[in-house]
Amino acid sequence: MDTEVSSPTAPEPLRWSKTVRGSRRIAQGLAITPLATLLAVLTIIPTVYILVVSFTNAAATNPDTTFVAFDNYISLFADSAYWVTMLRTLLFVVAAVSIQVAVALALALAMAEIKRGGAFLRALILLPMAAAPIAMLFNWRQILNAAYGPVNYVLTSLGLPGPDWLGDPALALPTLIAVDTWQWTPFVFIILAGGLATIPHDVHEAASVDGASAWQRFSQITLPMLMPYVLVAVLFRTIDALKTFDSVQVLTSGGPGSATTMLNYSIFQQGISFLDFGKATASAVIFLLLCILLTNLLLKALTRKESV
């Protein structure tokens, strides 16, 4: 006898599933709403305020603040000193980041070959990151003092001239780059050493068996596989180097003259020292756009490299 089989349709559990998913989305939305509101208050509102002030002539010496449109921006772009400051900032960023990546890469490659005592040497390399930045910079100011600093004491003891590292316009910026390299090379080293650890040893062993030289293994295997980590290090350090302020303030105060004045420090001078809030905020907006432009370029390079 034939038996009739009932249809397996079960619409009720499906409706329950949709209801649960909808409730979960509502709960997730409610959970992130306070954080999103906090971020909006802390970032969007101040940014909009700075943008509005940049279109005014607000200053401590000007009791009547009025809308001046793009006058602050035109004044900055017409000032040759502003372009010199921007070029000096880019020179500092390119030189500091390039040297840090090169030194950190050399250290990471050397440490990868060390079998004994590697942990102790890595601790020594990372030591500058453990120091308090401001205390470290005050120490460097004493170390590089032209009159009684230990660097010049050693040089003069050897019969060499003791230059004014922080007071000579030709040496002040290279000295800042050297101090920045000492401080931040360990950070780049951590990223590159981590990247080296991810490269399989089998690849190098197979290349060695095929007769590849050390340079060929580095240029054709190690460097291409390490490039995403290099780009990440360059991205982080470029953003941070653009914002350099503490070393300029502690070591040179932007001098001698304006030899070490960079964009971030010039914004401080215009806003805090000269109390010209309109021009300072206009400079800050340009600085923000420059940071966004460089960051996007580096992110595109990193994304393109990862997709290859």
Side-chain angles (χ1 to χ4, degrees), residues 4-15:
E4 185 178 352
V5 179
S6 61
S7 174
T9 55
E12 192 64 23
L14 181 61
R15 285 201 296 272

Side-chain angles (χ1 to χ4, degrees), residues 122-137:
R122 288 188 186 91
L124 285 180
I125 293 173
L126 299 180
L127 196 58
M129 290 187 65
I134 295 299
M136 179 271 297
L137 290 171

Side-chain angles (χ1 to χ4, degrees), residues 10-67:
E12 192 64 23
L14 181 61
R15 285 201 296 272
W16 269 107
S17 178
K18 289 182 177 178
T19 303
V20 170
R21 286 200 297 270
S23 301
R24 186 175 300 173
R25 291 194 186 99
I26 293 173
Q28 291 172 345
L30 291 175
I32 65 172
T33 297
L35 180 60
T37 305
L38 181 63
L39 287 175
V41 170
L42 294 179
T43 60
I44 296 176
I45 294 177
T47 302
V48 171
Y49 176 75
I50 289 173
L51 188 62
V52 170
V53 175
S54 72
F55 291 108
T56 69
N57 61 351
T61 57
N62 183 15
D64 299 323
T65 300
T66 58
F67 179 74

